[in-house]
Amino acid sequence: IYGAPTTGKTTLLKTIFLSLGLNFTPDDVQIYVIDCGGWSTSIFSTMPHVGGIAMDCESEKIEKLEKLLLNELEARKKRFLGCHVSSLSAYRESVGNDLAAWILAVDNFPALFELYPEMENTLVTLARDGAAYGIYLLYTANSSNGVRYKVQQNIKGAVAFELMDKGDYTSLVGRMDGIFLEKITGRAVVKGKPPCMFQSAIYMAGETETERAKKLQELLGRMNAQWKGRRPERIPVMPETVRME
């Protein structure tokens, strides 16, 4: 998800989270988040589909999440090999529904590269190999600058809100011949031949951000209370205080 600052990237990210949460169970979809933006995605920590949200300052949590993702990818490779399947959909058809799709969502992707450059190989691996094993990468960025080419070349889908550099549209979503992106909040184009203009939805009704956040928090609380099934593996970090017992 690309776009200039304040064009709606994080809002669309929240809409995607809530849409997944309302249409699928944690048995189907599980979400992990790295927030290098305004930390507003933390409100989703109570959604039963979310295994953990790491802020950009939480280096230990990000490191543990990286290991968790790599271990899961390796485990799925071995499992798929043993079952003679090559995709999550094929696994579910021939084996069962015991594997949820995992999503790693990163708000402000370029900032993650700047703060944790050692994660580049992991992110390239997830972009290249993850989707085949049901582990998907979803990120936001202001422009193509700062997103490594090795990652971009393995990402098939893209959404672009208003961009500062108009030349970015062609490389990110395709030739914009005859397509004029109006300055309307939430208006964007999705990658295609040709690109398709669309109006993105806001995650919750409300006149202000505070009103929307309150309604969202109430809804997520109800979802959390009502779900009694399996939940995502939590990011394994040490607690602030370790007691003797």
Side-chain angles (χ1 to χ4, degrees):
I1 304 172
Y2 295 91
T6 71
T7 53
K9 302 184 298 298
T10 303
T11 298
L12 179 56
L13 201 62
K14 293 177 180 179
T15 301
I16 292 172
F17 291 166
L18 187 57
S19 180
L20 290 170
L22 291 174
N23 287 283
F24 299 95
T25 73
D27 287 329
D28 300 314
V29 176
Q30 299 176 359
I31 302 169
Y32 296 89
V33 183
I34 300 177
D35 194 331
C36 299
W39 296 6
S40 63
T41 62
S42 61
I43 194 171
F44 283 90
S45 60
T46 57
M47 193 167 82
H49 307 68
V50 175
I53 300 176
M55 303 305 162
D56 51 13
C57 61
E58 297 179 302
S59 56
E60 180 195 358
K61 201 170 186 179
I62 290 175
E63 179 184 344
K64 297 294 186 181
L65 175 56
E66 179 184 15
K67 291 180 179 178
L68 179 65
L69 290 162
L70 289 176
N71 288 341
E72 180 68 14
L73 178 60
E74 189 63 28
R76 292 189 180 206
K77 285 182 177 180
K78 292 178 180 178
R79 184 178 293 194
F80 283 24
L81 179 63
C83 298
H84 307 291
V85 296
S86 58
S87 68
L88 181 60
S89 58
Y91 177 89
R92 287 176 169 176
E93 288 177 6
S94 61
V95 181
N97 293 322
D98 59 327
L99 275 183
W102 279 26
I103 295 173
L104 171 63
V106 182
D107 195 16
N108 195 355
F109 204 51
L112 180 63
F113 278 110
E114 292 177 11
L115 294 169
Y116 302 95
E118 66 278 4
M119 282 193 67
E120 180 174 350
N121 290 337
T122 296
L123 295 168
V124 170
T125 298
L126 290 176
R128 184 186 63 235
D129 302 333
Y133 299 96
I135 301 177
Y136 303 95
L137 180 62
L138 173 64
Y139 64 81
T140 68
N142 289 344
S143 68
S144 60
N145 293 333
V147 180
R148 303 292 193 271
Y149 175 73
K150 290 180 180 179
V151 172
Q152 285 193 56
Q153 68 178 351
N154 289 294
I155 299 295
K156 294 181 180 179
V159 167
F161 290 92
E162 182 183 359
L163 297 169
M164 299 296 290
D165 183 356
K166 304 308 177 185
D168 260 358
Y169 286 110
T170 300
S171 61
L172 294 175
V173 297
R175 295 179 63 86
M176 295 280 286
D177 296 339
I179 299 176
F180 175 71
L181 194 61
E182 300 175 79
K183 290 182 178 294
I184 298 174
T185 303
R187 189 63 53 90
V189 289
V190 63
K191 185 176 182 178
K193 294 182 179 181
C196 179
M197 188 182 300
F198 76 102
Q199 180 65 36
S200 63
I202 199 164
Y203 57 90
M204 187 66 62
E207 294 298 320
T208 66
E209 184 67 24
T210 301
E211 184 182 348
R212 290 191 289 270
K214 183 179 179 181
K215 290 182 178 180
L216 177 61
Q217 197 165 27
E218 291 172 354
L219 175 58
L220 296 177
R222 293 198 301 273
M223 292 171 65
N224 188 46
Q226 291 178 19
W227 176 249
K228 305 301 181 184
R230 182 177 58 136
R231 291 176 181 255
E233 182 177 351
R234 307 298 297 179
I235 302 174
V237 294
M238 290 287 287
E240 288 292 325
T241 303
V242 181
R243 301 184 180 278
M244 180 64 72
E245 61 271 18

